[in-house]
Amino acid sequence: VPNSAMLLIGGHGGGKTTLVKLLGRMFTSNTLEMIEESIIRGHPQLTEEKLVGTLKLGKLMKEGAEEVVWKKFVINFWKIIDEVNRLTPYAQDILLSLLAEGTVKYYDSIMNVNKFCLFATINPQDVGTFELSSPFLDRFGISVPISMPASQDLQLILAGKDEKYSGYDELLEVPKILNIDDLMEIWYYVNRVQINQEANNYIHAIIREFTLCD
């Protein structure tokens, strides 16, 4: 869905972050390293500079001009917030304008983020986390529970290669399927699909059931 966000809820080790990294690889043709650059790791000490951008110090000191160097999370199309419930209310407010209006502000500079896909992961059992505000949660279009693998799935997973030890071989195993232009074209055709009122109501009912679910 264009310019919306999805929340993935589940326990530690369920593969939430790995899943959205691999999806980003397939839907944008970017490398996993480039997708990794777009990840915000939730932490209570994240400042505005670590979330949004920094000022170019050389230009500021020599010319007194404020030029913003935006973080990759802001400018890249595929965005991931890992452990979003570790963000303080202050950090949540900073990201709210991105989700609500598609804009990011820093000093006197404004970055318009016209098209993006944003995913956030959350582990409700984590201690030392913060409650997500209602306006912030409301910007996530759908919430999906990610369950732990079943026993038969674990057998398959353990038989596979571990990305921690396989170096960059996994880059060859994840195919290049789409690029961002392909995705935009798909969005265009999907938005033109005509559906009757009953189907439309059914889709809304599904979305409603999965919005902010436990």
Side-chain angles (χ1 to χ4, degrees):
V1 178
N3 300 352
S4 71
M6 178 182 288
L7 193 62
L8 283 73
I9 299 180
H12 175 71
K16 301 183 295 296
T17 306
T18 300
L19 172 63
V20 291
K21 284 171 59 178
L22 294 177
L23 286 175
R25 168 81 169 99
M26 290 188 288
F27 278 112
T28 67
S29 293
N30 290 335
T31 65
L32 289 178
E33 287 91 343
M34 294 172 67
I35 299 297
E36 183 74 31
E37 291 175 349
S38 305
I39 299 179
I40 287 178
R41 308 284 182 184
H43 194 280
Q45 296 181 356
L46 280 179
T47 62
E48 191 172 15
E49 287 76 18
K50 294 178 181 178
L51 285 170
V52 175
T54 57
L55 292 177
K56 192 173 286 186
L57 292 180
K59 195 164 187 177
L60 181 65
M61 295 176 66
K62 293 179 181 179
E63 305 174 22
E66 297 177 352
E67 182 176 338
V68 176
V69 180
W70 300 101
K71 293 292 185 181
K72 293 292 181 64
F73 172 81
V74 173
I75 61 178
N76 285 1
F77 174 80
W78 201 263
K79 307 177 191 299
I80 302 172
I81 307 174
D82 194 27
E83 298 182 345
V84 65
N85 52 335
R86 290 182 177 271
L87 295 179
T88 63
Y90 169 72
Q92 294 175 36
D93 287 342
I94 293 174
L95 297 175
L96 184 59
S97 64
L98 168 64
L99 295 174
E101 305 166 7
T103 60
V104 180
K105 303 173 183 177
Y106 187 68
Y107 281 81
D108 291 331
S109 298
I110 298 176
M111 168 70 76
N112 291 312
V113 186
N114 294 322
K115 297 292 183 183
F116 63 88
C117 278
L118 188 144
F119 297 84
T121 69
I122 180 172
N123 181 0
Q125 282 75 44
D126 270 352
V127 296
T129 56
F130 300 89
E131 184 177 353
L132 300 179
S133 70
S134 295
F136 186 70
L137 273 176
D138 190 49
R139 300 304 169 182
F140 289 87
I142 191 168
S143 172
V144 178
I146 304 295
S147 59
M148 295 299 290
S151 57
Q152 62 268 25
D153 299 324
L154 284 174
Q155 183 177 357
L156 179 63
I157 292 171
L158 291 172
K161 298 174 67 175
D162 190 332
E163 64 178 19
K164 296 178 182 176
Y165 301 103
S166 61
Y168 295 101
D169 291 345
E170 75 271 12
L171 292 178
L172 304 177
E173 298 170 9
V174 181
K176 292 183 179 180
I177 297 177
L178 299 172
N179 56 41
I180 294 177
D181 290 335
D182 294 331
L183 191 56
M184 296 296 176
E185 187 175 1
I186 290 171
W187 283 353
Y188 171 75
Y189 284 117
V190 169
N191 287 334
R192 294 185 63 188
V193 172
Q194 298 294 321
I195 58 176
N196 62 39
Q197 190 61 46
E198 285 189 357
N200 192 53
N201 292 341
Y202 184 62
I203 291 171
H204 288 167
I206 293 174
I207 293 175
R208 184 179 66 245
E209 291 301 315
F210 279 97
T211 298
L212 306 185
C213 67
D214 292 332

